Amino acid sequence: MKSVMSFPERGNYGNSNWRGNTSGYVIKELVEHFNPKLFVDACEGSGTSRDVCKEMGIEYVGLDLYKGQDFTKDSILTQLPRPADICFTHPPYHSMIQYSGSVYGNEIISGDTSHCESPEEFISKSQVMLMNQREATIENGIYCTLIGDQRGGSLGKGNFRSYQADFISMMPKDELLSVVVKLQHKCLSDSRTYSGSFIPCMHEYLLIWKKKQQSLFAVSFDIASELQSRVATTWRNVIRIVMMKLQKADLETIYKEVEKVAANLINNNANWKAKIRQLLQKHFTNVQRGIWSINN
């Protein structure tokens, strides 16, 4: 594997009619370089990763929203026979290609990140996705995502957003292993002529992290400490990850789950239970007295 990938052909993997799917050769590069025993794709789409792993004799699990698995609510790890050696995603980018209600199905699904109302909502849900992937990965395993940039459209004329920069800033900087540039080919925009200062986006980024032993809560605490502007989002996402496992639980159970991964931190914070209650009240559903649910 090198820091730049270019595959003009996508190979005989998945369904070429499924908009936005990547070349199967990207998956082959990951498999050949890291030699996983279990490869997991949490955004399977038309089955590109599945076909590559079948050809290469690699154990595989494929999940997707249209198959009933929402990475913003459902734990990836609980769907696996064991933690993954590689957990990969190529998520729907905010508003670029809308999937539920368009590419598949007739109704919009709430967990579909291609229907986020703002880039900030997309980024927040993407951090949940990345933390979810990290939790589903074996220690010293690889979690990675393929993401591009966005210009114009719902961002407004002339506006540009580099999502890879947001993704990198949200995750542990000491776990980032590599950033690979993947050139794009045969895009709908290839035949267009642009004038003025406009620069078309012709590449995506494969962001690769290697999981260390640090707990999920400690990771999020460190990120929050470094990025004060993201404190609320980070803490909300940490609670969401805990609730993915529980789905519905009373306060005492939620406290115990947090204690399992944050004992060394909460011992120095006398108000940690109040912080959890505050987040639950603001972002989750109180289904009955003292019982909270992720289905909000």
Side-chain angles (χ1 to χ4, degrees), residues 48-242:
T48 299
S49 297
R50 177 193 61 217
D51 291 348
V52 171
C53 288
K54 182 178 179 180
E55 177 183 279
M56 301 183 75
I58 304 297
E59 185 178 2
Y60 171 79
V61 174
L63 307 170
D64 204 293
L65 188 61
Y66 76 89
K67 299 171 72 173
Q69 176 76 15
D70 181 351
F71 59 56
T72 71
K73 293 181 179 179
D74 305 322
S75 168
I76 295 171
L77 181 60
T78 59
Q79 304 299 308
L80 309 181
R82 62 184 184 281
D85 298 292
I86 297 179
C87 189
F88 171 82
T89 53
H90 184 204
Y93 305 170
H94 162 58
S95 76
M96 293 177 70
I97 300 174
Q98 294 189 329
Y99 284 88
S100 63
S102 179
V103 174
Y104 63 83
N106 298 317
E107 297 181 0
I108 296 173
I109 302 175
S110 62
D112 184 351
T113 54
S114 70
H115 288 279
C116 289
E117 294 184 1
S118 66
E120 288 68 33
E121 180 187 356
F122 172 69
I123 291 165
S124 179
K125 288 184 174 180
S126 295
Q127 186 181 39
V128 175
M129 174 192 75
L130 292 170
M131 289 290 195
N132 202 351
Q133 287 179 248
R134 186 183 185 277
E135 285 299 284
T137 304
I138 193 171
E139 184 180 333
N140 293 318
I142 299 297
Y143 60 103
C144 54
T145 192
L146 186 64
I147 188 70
D149 299 323
Q150 185 175 11
R151 187 188 301 280
S154 63
L155 298 180
K157 186 176 180 180
N159 290 335
F160 176 82
R161 192 72 183 241
S162 185
Y163 290 123
Q164 59 91 17
D166 294 306
F167 280 28
I168 290 173
S169 71
M170 292 190 299
M171 301 305 291
K173 60 185 178 183
D174 62 344
E175 291 190 352
L176 184 65
L177 188 64
S178 186
V179 176
V180 177
V181 175
K182 173 192 165 291
L183 302 184
Q184 291 182 290
H185 301 276
K186 299 180 181 179
C187 300
L188 292 178
S189 59
D190 288 354
S191 59
R192 298 173 185 169
T193 301
Y194 300 97
S195 59
S197 60
F198 183 83
I199 301 174
C201 298
M202 302 298 292
H203 64 279
E204 297 172 294
Y205 304 90
L206 178 63
L207 309 179
I208 304 173
W209 291 272
K210 185 174 183 179
K211 180 181 176 180
K212 295 188 176 181
Q213 193 173 8
Q214 192 177 26
S215 74
L216 170 66
F217 199 96
V219 165
S220 297
F221 185 86
D222 289 345
I223 294 170
S225 298
E226 294 173 7
L227 304 169
Q228 291 300 317
S229 64
R230 296 184 187 272
V231 169
T233 298
T234 301
W235 276 80
R236 176 188 175 185
N237 287 350
V238 168
I239 301 302
R240 180 171 286 276
I241 292 289
V242 170

Side-chain angles (χ1 to χ4, degrees), residues 221-266:
F221 185 86
D222 289 345
I223 294 170
S225 298
E226 294 173 7
L227 304 169
Q228 291 300 317
S229 64
R230 296 184 187 272
V231 169
T233 298
T234 301
W235 276 80
R236 176 188 175 185
N237 287 350
V238 168
I239 301 302
R240 180 171 286 276
I241 292 289
V242 170
M243 291 299 293
M244 281 183 187
K245 175 181 178 181
L246 300 175
Q247 291 298 306
K248 184 170 68 174
D250 58 59
L251 277 173
E252 288 303 318
T253 301
I254 294 170
Y255 294 154
K256 288 178 181 178
E257 287 299 314
V258 172
E259 284 183 293
K260 289 179 182 178
V261 294
N264 61 325
L265 297 175
I266 63 179

Side-chain angles (χ1 to χ4, degrees), residues 260-292:
K260 289 179 182 178
V261 294
N264 61 325
L265 297 175
I266 63 179
N267 285 340
N268 298 318
N269 184 350
N271 298 315
W272 65 274
K273 289 186 178 180
K275 179 67 175 180
I276 291 174
R277 291 195 299 272
Q278 178 188 43
L279 289 167
L280 289 170
Q281 291 166 4
K282 188 173 182 181
H283 299 295
F284 296 85
T285 301
N286 186 201
V287 294
Q288 65 187 75
R289 185 175 178 82
I291 305 295
W292 296 87

